[in-house]
Amino acid sequence: MFDTMNSPNRNLAIVRAVRDQGGTPTNVAKRFGISRQHVHQILNAYDAGGAEAIAPLSG
């Protein structure tokens, strides 16, 4: 099984968990170990700029 918890596409997995799988931001936040506010920030960034807006920054 694909581990989305440590995936470089983690933010996209968070968006999909809410939008495609019907998860609530609260439940998704708990599942991914982040705050509910962070889930909303990811969703807002995705809405504004798509997948590129939530892609991890390269170091």
Side-chain angles (χ1 to χ4, degrees):
M1 183 174 153
F2 185 67
D3 182 10
T4 58
M5 299 299 272
N6 295 314
S7 167
N9 297 316
R10 180 174 168 249
N11 289 345
L12 189 55
I14 290 167
V15 171
R16 288 181 176 158
V18 174
R19 300 284 168 80
D20 298 340
Q21 299 169 6
T24 66
T26 300
N27 288 339
V28 171
K30 288 178 186 176
R31 181 171 141 202
F32 283 88
I34 61 175
S35 70
R36 182 181 51 81
Q37 290 83 1
H38 193 195
V39 171
H40 284 289
Q41 289 173 344
I42 292 168
L43 293 171
N44 290 338
Y46 181 82
D47 290 343
E52 289 182 13
I54 61 168
L57 300 175
S58 58

